[in-house]
Amino acid sequence: MTKRVQYEDVSLVYPGGTKPAVSHLDLDIAEGEFLVLVGPSGCGKSTSLRMLAGLEPISSGTIFIGDRDVTNVPAKDRDIAMVFQNYALYPHMSVAENMAFALKIQRVSKDEINRRVKEAAALLDLTDYLDRKPKALSGGQRQRVAMGRAIVREPEVFLMDEPLSNLDAKLRVQTRTQIAALQRRLGTTTLYVTHDQVEAMTMGDRVAVLKDGVLQQCAAPRELYDNPANAFVGGFIGSPSMNIIPSTITEGGVLMNGHLIPVARDVLAKASGDRVILGVRPENLSLTEEGADMTVVLVEELGPETYVYGTYTGPDGPVELVARGQGMDAPKLGSTVKVAPKRIYVFDAEGDQTRLS
């Protein structure tokens, strides 16, 4: 039976370390929810997963699965199933034997094992491969076997640690669609770790963004994209990334390479100093007749849309920008064009760069 998962003020400092790998994590994962943990390398996402699995002892806080405090419960007694980046299949066993192995260890009856393996194989389109050894399978098929091994256990919680990172780009797209659809069919509470924000946005019911062991924001994918809590979340979510533009406050707004961008006075009054950070998504940065000068350094023509990459010298040095156009004549490399934002986010330039508007 699937269960709710809660992290309550959970921290972990590794032996010999001074800085927490995960710091004061509060996270509530609803029963049957697909939650994705995302962030750059070293942000604490895999550590958070391993703490829930019981593979890392936490330094402080409490972890619940359902109503049960599992903080000090051994990993084998937590009723979770993990799918790893490496498939970790037994090469001498067939697909069916790999999927059934954990059940045999638990002394589940032979009839029950056969039933569960056949049901999982049907879900994963592996019925025709049950007698094959892993070496006779493709990478995507091996990952599905690893998924099947987890499914047959019928756990309360699925934990997936970058399960698609060993697959090629085309297969990743196909397999992530299958995993998301499968989770919705099974309804099992799932915590999924990835560094790929596109994967996170397309799979998760909600996405939790971590940085340096600290949870930055947890929300539905659209909410993260439209309403980032700070400049880090805004820049991390979206492809190409949001333009992060250091700007100087002036009368009536802020200056972007000498071009005035109107910003409400009450918004600028919240700033910690005389600088703010403008966030502008590429689709909201237009090539215009009037605007800030940008030197073109790269043009990507992708058929229906064109991305124009450029730079200008900001108050602290070069600023990189990317603008998206549709059906436009691509500017030449090295030329100077004018760009102006249609929609902006304003972030404080200090501290955690929280959003001001």
Side-chain angles (χ1 to χ4, degrees):
M1 179 180 175
T2 187
K3 294 289 181 69
R4 172 187 182 189
V5 171
Q6 293 172 279
Y7 293 81
E8 292 188 355
D9 197 29
V10 174
S11 297
L12 172 62
V13 180
Y14 283 110
T18 55
K19 186 177 180 182
V22 175
S23 180
H24 301 288
L25 178 63
D26 284 302
L27 202 54
D28 191 339
I29 307 166
E31 184 178 312
E33 182 177 19
F34 194 125
L35 184 95
V36 180
L37 287 176
V38 69
S41 296
C43 71
K45 53 188 184 296
S46 288
T47 300
S48 300
L49 191 83
R50 291 172 63 83
M51 289 191 296
L52 177 57
L55 302 177
E56 299 287 357
I58 69 175
S59 303
S60 62
T62 311
I63 297 177
F64 290 90
I65 298 179
D67 297 325
R68 185 167 67 126
D69 181 349
V70 298
T71 307
N72 298 308
V73 173
K76 65 184 179 63
D77 297 325
R78 294 198 183 193
D79 199 10
I80 56 95
M82 289 193 72
V83 180
F84 297 96
Q85 175 179 341
N86 296 316
Y87 320 124
L89 302 178
Y90 298 107
H92 63 287
M93 293 184 183
S94 68
V95 167
E97 290 168 336
N98 267 283
M99 292 169 65
F101 184 73
L103 299 181
K104 288 182 178 178
I105 296 297
Q106 295 173 1
R107 300 185 183 278
V108 176
S109 71
K110 189 173 182 180
D111 288 344
E112 179 66 10
I113 290 175
N114 289 337
R115 181 189 68 79
R116 293 194 196 181
V117 169
K118 286 180 181 178
E119 285 183 359
L123 277 173
L124 295 162
D125 196 22
L126 289 171
T127 303
D128 294 338
Y129 306 98
L130 287 174
D131 294 327
R132 292 193 188 182
K133 298 289 177 60
K135 67 180 180 181
L137 304 176
S138 69
Q141 289 167 337
R142 291 178 195 176
Q143 192 55 276
R144 296 211 300 275
V145 175
M147 287 284 299
R149 185 173 53 192
I151 289 169
V152 297
R153 294 181 57 191
E154 298 180 355
E156 294 177 342
V157 181
F158 283 140
L159 305 180
M160 302 188 189
D161 193 1
E162 303 204 40
L164 307 183
S165 58
N166 285 342
L167 305 182
D168 62 59
K170 183 177 180 181
L171 196 53
R172 282 182 74 135
V173 174
Q174 177 185 343
T175 308
R176 78 186 184 210
T177 303
Q178 293 172 340
I179 289 177
L182 179 64
Q183 190 275 338
R184 282 159 179 76
R185 287 181 64 184
L186 295 172
T188 305
T189 307
T190 300
L191 188 61
Y192 185 103
V193 165
T194 181
H195 65 275
D196 185 335
Q197 57 93 16
V198 175
E199 204 169 279
M201 296 287 280
T202 55
M203 295 180 73
D205 296 320
R206 285 189 301 154
V207 178
V209 183
L210 282 83
K211 177 190 178 189
D212 298 331
V214 178
L215 178 64
Q216 304 294 306
Q217 188 174 1
C218 182
R222 174 51 63 180
E223 177 70 12
L224 276 184
Y225 190 84
D226 288 341
N227 296 300
N230 56 37
F232 174 80
V233 175
F236 191 84
I237 298 296
S239 182
S241 299
M242 174 186 283
N243 294 292
I244 302 296
I245 308 169
S247 305
T248 304
I249 297 174
T250 189
E251 184 64 31
V254 299
L255 290 176
M256 175 180 166
N257 195 19
H259 178 67
L260 178 66
I261 308 296
V263 179
R265 184 175 298 177
D266 63 328
V267 172
L268 297 178
K270 303 175 191 174
S272 301
D274 62 353
R275 298 272 189 88
V276 293
I277 295 172
L278 292 187
V280 185
R281 296 221 177 266
E283 62 267 29
N284 292 320
L285 188 63
S286 304
L287 276 68
T288 60
E289 298 279 332
E290 295 183 3
D293 287 342
M294 180 182 82
T295 302
V296 178
V297 297
L298 176 67
V299 176
E300 289 184 345
E301 297 189 65
L302 304 176
E305 55 193 16
T306 300
Y307 289 105
V308 180
Y309 295 78
T311 62
Y312 75 83
T313 303
D316 301 314
V319 176
E320 297 181 351
L321 300 175
V322 55
R324 187 179 76 180
Q326 294 185 348
M328 56 171 281
D329 293 329
K332 294 181 180 179
L333 297 184
S335 64
T336 298
V337 297
K338 292 186 180 296
V339 293
K342 294 185 291 186
R343 179 187 177 185
I344 62 171
Y345 299 88
V346 182
F347 304 100
D348 197 357
E350 303 295 330
D352 58 4
Q353 300 179 349
T354 53
R355 185 175 164 196
L356 303 178
S357 77

